[in-house]
Amino acid sequence: MRAAAFIIGPQDGSGAGIMDLCLGIGFCHVVHFSTIDQAEQQVTKTPVCFFVFAADVGPAQLNSVSKAIRFSRNRQVRYAPMVCFAENPGRGIVTTCIQAGFDDILVPPFSVKRVGGRLEAMLHNPVMFYETADYIGPDRRNRTGQEELTHTDRGKGGDHRRIEFIRDVDNGISILRNDFRQATRHQVPERFNGSPGATQSA
């Protein structure tokens, strides 16, 4: 695969296992993540970089690194695929990943064929992201199995952008649509405080 993979996880254990898996899938460049500057430099060589997290790094690191990625000044990094490998994905990890804008959460079995297919599906196909003041990622209001995060008042949120793009290993991120949606403003009718039966003057 003509793409890079950054591993966010321990040097041994789960992190080492994910690195071996990424090498088996055929990523042309696989390293442990250190800084966002490192990633912003790498996309000049391999326009698509996958950010692959081990769930056992914990919520704090999941949050801090994913935020640095999703709010990067570099578009190739900001819209890059983020996936999390979770042996036993508890509610806390799943909620953290959804709120952080992850593309996918992968659970065992972690075979080269199965994982490779899931990652390949993130390339060359249209992807829809939503951007608000504090969130960039897939539509988190309707993620399967996360009823507690589903909004009943769909379409009544704040100002946001809806970005449709394609990830291509040769060209990186190509924007297809960039729509700004303004928050719905609910009009409150004026009240007339005159006496009963009175009418408003023009």
Side-chain angles (χ1 to χ4, degrees):
M1 182 186 295
R2 299 193 311 279
F6 285 102
I7 312 301
I8 299 91
Q11 296 286 334
D12 54 8
S14 61
I18 292 172
M19 177 166 282
D20 289 342
L21 183 61
C22 288
L23 290 169
I25 290 170
F27 282 96
C28 64
H29 183 75
V30 183
V31 295
H32 280 275
F33 176 86
S34 58
T35 66
I36 199 67
D37 288 340
Q38 171 199 25
E40 290 172 349
Q41 292 171 13
Q42 181 61 39
V43 293
T44 64
K45 304 170 186 175
T46 52
V48 173
C49 292
F50 283 74
F51 293 89
V52 187
F53 292 69
D56 58 10
V57 299
Q61 192 169 0
L62 281 171
N63 273 317
S64 63
V65 177
S66 62
K67 185 175 182 179
I69 293 164
R70 284 290 178 250
F71 288 89
S72 167
R73 62 182 180 268
N74 187 303
R75 185 173 74 185
Q76 310 297 333
V77 175
R78 186 165 64 250
Y79 301 133
M82 293 196 314
V83 298
C84 181
F85 282 77
E87 290 279 354
N88 298 293
R91 182 178 293 269
I93 288 295
V94 172
T95 300
T96 295
C97 290
I98 288 174
Q99 293 178 339
F102 276 69
D103 289 78
D104 203 357
I105 302 170
L106 303 177
V107 298
F110 298 138
S111 68
V112 167
K113 181 178 180 180
R114 179 174 178 271
V115 174
R118 291 280 283 269
L119 301 186
E120 285 279 0
M122 299 177 193
L123 302 174
H124 313 297
N125 294 307
V127 178
M128 186 73 75
F129 267 22
Y130 290 78
E131 295 190 10
T132 69
D134 60 359
Y135 175 79
I136 298 175
D139 186 355
R140 61 182 171 180
R141 300 169 301 174
N142 193 28
R143 302 301 288 271
T144 302
Q146 293 302 302
E147 290 82 4
E148 77 281 4
L149 295 177
T150 299
H151 293 202
T152 55
D153 293 333
R154 291 181 61 83
K156 299 181 181 179
D159 293 351
H160 65 277
R161 286 192 176 277
R162 192 169 64 174
I163 314 291
E164 186 177 10
F165 59 89
I166 287 181
R167 299 163 174 146
D168 180 86
V169 293
D170 295 316
N171 304 307
I173 305 299
S174 298
I175 302 295
L176 303 178
R177 292 177 59 189
N178 184 345
D179 297 330
F180 176 72
R181 302 295 178 96
Q182 195 169 29
T184 303
R185 311 298 180 191
H186 297 284
Q187 299 288 335
V188 179
E190 291 185 4
R191 293 182 178 178
F192 177 57
N193 295 319
S195 59
T199 59
Q200 298 185 49
S201 60

